[in-house]
Amino acid sequence: MLLRHTPKEISERKALTINPAKTCQPVGAMYAALGIHRCLPHSHGSQGCCAYHRSALTRHYAEPIMASTSSFTEGASVFGGQSNMLESIQNIFALYDPDIIAVNTTCLSEVIGDDLKQIINRAMGDNKIPPGKTVMYASTPSFKGSHVTGYANMLSAIVQNFAVATGTRNDAITILPSFIEPSDMSEIKHIAEEMGIKYIMYPDTSDVVNAPMDGKFHMYPKGGTTKELIRQSGDSRRAIALGRVGVFPAAQLLDTKCKVKTDILDLPIGITATDTFVDTLRKIAGVTVPESINDERGRLVDVLCDKAQYVYGKKVSLMGDPDTLFGLAQFCKDAGMQVLHVVTGTPAGAKWDRRVKELLGDGTIVKSGAQADLFYLHQLMQNDKPDLLFGNTYCKYIARDMDIPLIRTAFPIYDRMGHSYFPITGYRGGLHLLIKVLDAFMDRQDRDAPEEKFELVM
Ligand code: SF4
């Protein structure tokens, strides 16, 4: 067993992370940039960094991810990356013709102190940026933060660059989702559309990283929010941020820059949080919740009631990204499960830790940041064994060692399909998630049942 040497005894660690529960900032920044139509993500650093960022996304979504790099070698590493960046901008517009280049910095470019604002101004002065095109950037050094903070930084940069308040309000509601799957982005749009609400959502990676195969190569798939719509979000009558750690800076910026009042909600995972989202939409838009949405809710409640005995009282551990984790914690609580541990490598902050504790009570161990790693999670689980683990693909080693099922819900997932296509948000996503949990418990019951207890109907 790969992790059989993890000791049970937990000792204080200050300067060591073992198997981090996160990936690096540019991965999240690239993901956010892909949710903008005709936008090419660009890593300002070495080819190796860009190769890693792209491969993390490519392996998770099983899609080719287009991204460029400043391709630092020794010269740029010593003397700075300005000339590489200027040449990149020229080549990218000449060869790939994006509408936007979304630059994320890397550890290396941050350490040598490249000033991206100055470099982009220089590119403009040198007429390297064609009319109507944009080069924007987000600071995403990976010696701090995680893919979630990288996503948050790029989302803020998108608001900063494109949202404009003209002084005349439109009737759209802007929705800013945290780092979630394209399937979840689709589900959130489905709820808004079903309720007949005019909305602008960004980023929107649906139809980008889950685009259908049509036999042709599309450098820029049909999905993604257009620049024009993002511009109009500055005039929207209200905004809703779905999630906190991955969205709060952008929501705050939209509020201060464009005076768009923003409601900060949790990701709509499970019944309680989805009810809050639907109710907030209903109140802001002044609409009635349609029967179709009530029916979706009713189906989730029905299955929960029908099969409550399989989930009630079950002990679970949660690992992943902070906004998703909060939603999962609420989902588990709704279903009567007992959450033992909540661990995220993202430095989510003391407020996040406190909110999770308030939700789940003092019996739950909550940890975020650098020392909240998979090693620590494994130690916790050895001391108080759960029945089920939620987490990313890397958790499969822990699940195997503990001989418990794993529900793959976080980033990255390299060894299963479905997350890009089937949501966990909204009532329909809640039903999908609940069925995954039920399947895990029922499969386990079948596997372990003695001959005389092996049931046909469960
Ligand atoms: S952690 Fe830093 S050096 Fe490593 S891939 Fe990410 S940006 Fe590059």
Side-chain angles (χ1 to χ4, degrees):
M1 295 289 268
L2 209 59
L3 296 183
R4 68 186 178 280
H5 299 299
T6 304
K8 216 173 160 182
E9 298 70 36
I10 298 175
S11 50
E12 188 66 17
R13 277 188 287 136
K14 285 222 168 73
L16 176 68
T17 302
I18 308 170
N19 293 334
K22 60 165 192 160
T23 64
C24 77
Q25 286 214 63
V27 173
M30 269 191 183
Y31 183 57
L34 288 166
I36 310 305
H37 189 57
R38 292 187 60 81
C39 177
L40 186 73
H42 178 95
S43 276
H44 184 55
S46 72
Q47 281 190 36
C49 287
C50 188
Y52 167 65
H53 308 148
R54 287 182 58 222
S55 83
L57 292 167
T58 294
R59 289 193 291 163
H60 179 84
Y61 295 108
E63 286 288 317
I65 301 295
M66 295 302 130
S68 52
T69 168
S70 304
S71 205
F72 281 22
T73 49
E74 294 87 341
S77 307
V78 175
F79 300 112
Q82 172 163 291
S83 73
N84 289 47
M85 188 71 235
L86 293 172
E87 206 178 327
S88 297
I89 290 172
Q90 202 163 15
N91 286 340
I92 290 166
F93 282 124
L95 292 170
Y96 304 124
D97 190 32
D99 286 348
I100 305 161
I101 301 174
V103 184
N104 57 260
T105 58
T106 58
C107 300
L108 179 56
S109 59
E110 288 282 345
V111 168
I112 58 179
D114 274 348
D115 181 349
L116 260 300
K117 194 170 174 198
Q118 178 271 323
I119 297 175
I120 292 168
N121 283 339
R122 171 85 185 266
M124 268 194 283
D126 292 353
N127 293 322
K128 288 186 191 310
I129 305 176
K133 309 276 181 177
T134 310
V135 180
M136 53 174 278
Y137 82 99
S139 173
T140 52
S142 283
F143 38 78
K144 60 179 187 179
S146 75
H147 55 290
V148 177
T149 53
Y151 177 94
N153 292 344
M154 185 55 82
L155 189 51
S156 295
I158 291 166
V159 171
Q160 183 66 49
N161 278 273
F162 299 115
V164 176
T166 64
T168 309
R169 292 263 171 239
N170 58 43
D171 56 354
I173 296 172
T174 292
I175 301 175
L176 302 168
S178 188
F179 193 138
I180 46 174
E181 295 287 337
S183 46
D184 293 311
M185 305 238 180
S186 293
E187 187 60 25
I188 287 163
K189 290 195 294 182
H190 158 77
I191 291 174
E193 279 159 20
E194 207 67 14
M195 292 176 75
I197 287 165
K198 194 167 171 208
Y199 68 91
I200 298 167
M201 188 176 94
Y202 61 90
D204 177 6
T205 56
S206 59
D207 282 330
V208 178
V209 293
N210 62 354
M213 170 78 84
D214 64 1
K216 297 188 198 96
F217 168 71
H218 299 279
M219 182 88 190
Y220 307 105
K222 64 180 175 181
T225 315
T226 59
K227 230 158 83 160
E228 176 52 25
L229 277 174
I230 301 170
R231 191 186 62 74
Q232 289 173 23
S233 73
D235 284 331
S236 56
R237 65 163 132 158
R238 193 95 162 213
I240 297 177
L242 293 177
R244 291 166 198 259
V245 180
V247 200
F248 189 70
Q252 211 173 24
L253 186 61
L254 191 62
D255 198 334
T256 50
K257 186 184 173 207
C258 303
K259 305 286 172 288
V260 177
K261 196 168 174 336
T262 306
D263 294 87
I264 314 275
L265 307 182
D266 294 311
L267 275 175
I269 298 174
I271 296 170
T272 307
T274 307
D275 284 354
T276 307
F277 175 50
V278 169
D279 202 42
T280 307
L281 280 178
R282 177 189 68 78
K283 282 188 198 140
I284 296 174
V287 296
T288 310
V289 178
E291 224 21 53
S292 57
I293 295 284
N294 287 331
D295 287 350
E296 288 174 10
R297 185 182 194 279
R299 283 184 200 105
L300 172 56
V301 174
D302 188 31
V303 175
L304 197 50
C305 294
D306 285 348
K307 300 292 174 193
Q309 70 272 29
Y310 289 97
V311 291
Y312 186 80
K314 285 284 195 295
K315 296 195 279 185
V316 296
S317 295
L318 310 178
M319 171 269 158
D321 303 336
D323 293 330
T324 306
L325 279 180
F326 194 86
L328 288 174
Q330 215 158 23
F331 168 87
C332 291
K333 196 178 171 205
D334 287 349
M337 291 188 265
Q338 188 194 345
V339 181
L340 301 179
H341 319 116
V342 183
V343 169
T344 176
T346 294
K351 197 169 168 195
W352 180 85
D353 291 12
R354 222 174 23 250
R355 282 193 81 232
V356 182
K357 276 262 185 206
E358 274 164 20
L359 175 74
L360 299 171
D362 285 337
T364 307
I365 296 174
V366 181
K367 195 167 170 91
S368 61
Q371 271 72 57
D373 49 26
L374 296 182
F375 179 81
Y376 175 68
L377 175 66
H378 192 190
Q379 288 186 307
L380 293 176
M381 289 169 62
Q382 285 186 335
N383 284 290
D384 195 359
K385 186 181 175 183
D387 302 298
L388 183 68
L389 171 61
F390 288 81
N392 67 16
T393 284
Y394 291 96
C395 288
K396 72 195 274 180
Y397 298 103
I398 299 175
R400 186 180 169 105
D401 183 58
M402 303 296 299
D403 190 26
I404 57 168
L406 167 67
I407 305 280
R408 287 160 177 81
T409 42
F411 183 90
I413 298 171
Y414 296 149
D415 61 340
R416 294 290 188 278
M417 288 301 286
H419 48 89
S420 307
Y421 302 100
F422 302 104
I424 62 167
T425 53
Y427 300 120
R428 298 192 306 186
L431 183 58
H432 171 231
L433 185 60
L434 178 61
I435 284 169
K436 279 174 89 154
V437 172
L438 286 168
D439 278 351
F441 284 134
M442 289 177 180
D443 283 349
R444 180 49 54 104
Q445 185 168 316
D446 273 348
R447 192 197 79 170
D448 296 341
E451 204 65 49
E452 67 280 9
K453 296 254 170 72
F454 193 54
E455 294 283 349
L456 193 62
V457 181
M458 297 173 91

